[in-house]
Amino acid sequence: MEEDSVSIWPRMEPFLLGVAPSSKLGLHYLRKMATYVRTREGSFPMLGWPMWRHIACGKLQLPDDLAWLYFETFDLLQGHTAEERLEWAECLSQCSSKTELDQQRSKMSVDTLQFLLFLYIQQLNRVSLRTSLIGEEWPSHRARSPSPSDRESKTSSQNKNWDDQAHLSFVLNHLAEILELLVEPGHLPKSGQSLRDCQVSVTIIPSVCFNAHFPLNRIIIYKTGTMCRDSLVILGPVETSVHIHSCQNVRIVCVARRIIIGASSRCTIHSLTPTRPLLLPGNSDIVLGPFHTFYPSLEDHMASVGLAVVPNLWDQPLLLGTEGLIHSSPNTPSNPDFACFRLLLPAEFNSLVIPFQMEGDTCEVPGGLPAPYQATLEEKQKKIQSWQKTVMEARLNKDQKQQFEELVTLKFHEWLLKSGNRKEIDSLIPPQLTSVREPNSPTPNDC
């Protein structure tokens, strides 16, 4: 390899975690921003939230929520320790007003040039959104989700955001413009001249665009075969992000720093997350519910990746449209964009039990349940106790007890079939048992 050659390996995370950019974040405006920040105190080499909000909201007229989404998303890419993440979560949890929250956010800063590059490479997401209008790319912005046959026939073309070759091609094809953002304004070449003689600091490049290793800190869920259709997926704590893409009739239970849902339908997401769930275009019939399960070592696992129980923003989604448009007021019923999701009704809520034994101290849902959902569980528990009391006071004889138990068992299995919960119970049976059972024979639960 020649001494002055450069090897490029784009990191997947900046492309994967990114969002579709506003038209205000094209190269023209980013060039202006690159010049502006170098002449303002508190903007270079580190860019604080107050200055970025001033640029994004005051000069570029971006919504405040969108400006924070870019800033927060970029911060997710930084190598903060679990302890630092937990300390930040503790500070946020103590904010009791928007003013206090803004004061806390004002303490956050990011590397200016790295952030400029992050904003620039979001153009890849813009291309995906634009071409989705003709059905070539994910995610489609149509109100109705694609049919199963449509999804299956386009699997290879829908995962551009997860295609590292597409990332490399994008970087190579736009390398000159990328370098323009890094060069000092006075050193920019005149029109038609080459950038080859300009000196660029390479210290910012490896941590944003390129990488020498690939950390396993995210989960990508998308339909491959039958994995993400008619399924229940329970995840342990995810350090960075959970992506749900092209899924149908799936229930996902997770603790994650960010949750992103795109091109999916009839999915229920039970989550505990410190950031607002991001709903991309192409979703329909999405239900958001609170995290509702636990296992003994859950809180230890959460601490190991820097996830706390507060803040928990599972019920405050951001809806992303084309051109980076953000809808963040789901209380506006006249807005048709909010028809793609709803919050789980307390009357629909049930707890989820993980039927495995392991070591650990967690004995309840971390952080507890929201009051309406907790009240629902308590009411159901009262009904169970009342039923048990009624049975005891009935003083049934032996034959009556047997008949009663058979009737209850029959009604229970009818409910399992009608509700669709039978498949969840059958899935707990070891494969070696299901493989030797005759097709029409009863399960062990039927005996």
Side-chain angles (χ1 to χ4, degrees), residues 242-434:
V242 171
H243 293 248
I244 302 162
H245 174 250
S246 295
C247 295
Q248 297 179 56
N249 196 28
V250 172
R251 187 150 57 108
I252 297 172
V253 184
C254 62
V255 181
R257 198 168 309 281
R258 165 148 293 167
I259 296 168
I260 304 174
I261 309 167
S264 297
S265 63
R266 303 188 305 281
C267 293
T268 299
I269 317 298
H270 290 268
S271 65
L272 192 166
T273 176
T275 63
R276 300 174 69 176
L278 187 58
L279 302 184
L280 302 177
N283 293 307
S284 65
D285 298 325
I286 302 298
V287 179
L288 302 179
F291 187 75
H292 63 329
T293 192
F294 66 91
Y295 57 89
S297 55
L298 175 57
E299 289 175 303
D300 290 336
H301 292 168
M302 290 173 61
S304 69
V305 294
L307 286 168
V309 298
V310 287
N312 185 6
L313 307 182
W314 67 271
D315 58 347
Q316 302 178 41
L318 287 173
L319 277 70
L320 177 66
T322 56
E323 294 297 319
L325 178 62
I326 285 288
H327 302 291
S328 57
S329 300
N331 292 326
T332 306
S334 60
N335 193 328
D337 292 303
F338 296 107
C340 71
F341 90 98
R342 66 177 178 87
L343 299 184
L344 184 73
L345 298 175
E348 302 171 316
F349 181 74
N350 289 289
S351 60
L352 176 66
V353 177
I354 297 179
F356 303 108
Q357 295 182 349
M358 60 190 77
E359 296 182 355
D361 299 324
T362 303
C363 57
E364 61 182 2
V365 176
L369 293 170
Y373 300 94
Q374 181 62 39
T376 295
L377 290 186
E378 293 175 355
E379 182 63 27
K380 290 181 178 180
Q381 186 61 36
K382 289 180 181 179
K383 290 181 179 179
I384 293 174
Q385 293 172 352
S386 176
W387 170 256
Q388 293 172 338
K389 181 180 179 182
T390 301
V391 172
M392 291 181 61
E393 293 176 348
R395 300 183 182 280
L396 302 177
N397 59 37
K398 183 177 181 180
D399 290 339
Q400 289 174 327
K401 285 183 178 179
Q402 182 176 353
Q403 293 176 0
F404 180 73
E405 290 175 357
E406 290 175 353
L407 178 61
V408 171
T409 300
L410 176 63
K411 294 298 182 181
F412 175 64
H413 282 286
E414 289 178 354
W415 173 81
L416 286 177
L417 292 173
K418 184 178 180 180
S419 64
N421 291 317
R422 173 62 179 270
K423 62 184 179 182
E424 294 186 16
I425 293 181
D426 288 345
S427 68
L428 298 176
I429 303 173
Q432 60 268 26
L433 294 181
T434 58

Side-chain angles (χ1 to χ4, degrees), residues 27-38:
L27 180 62
H28 172 73
Y29 289 100
L30 290 180
R31 283 172 178 159
K32 288 189 172 183
M33 180 177 167
T35 302
Y36 182 82
V37 294
R38 285 179 167 92

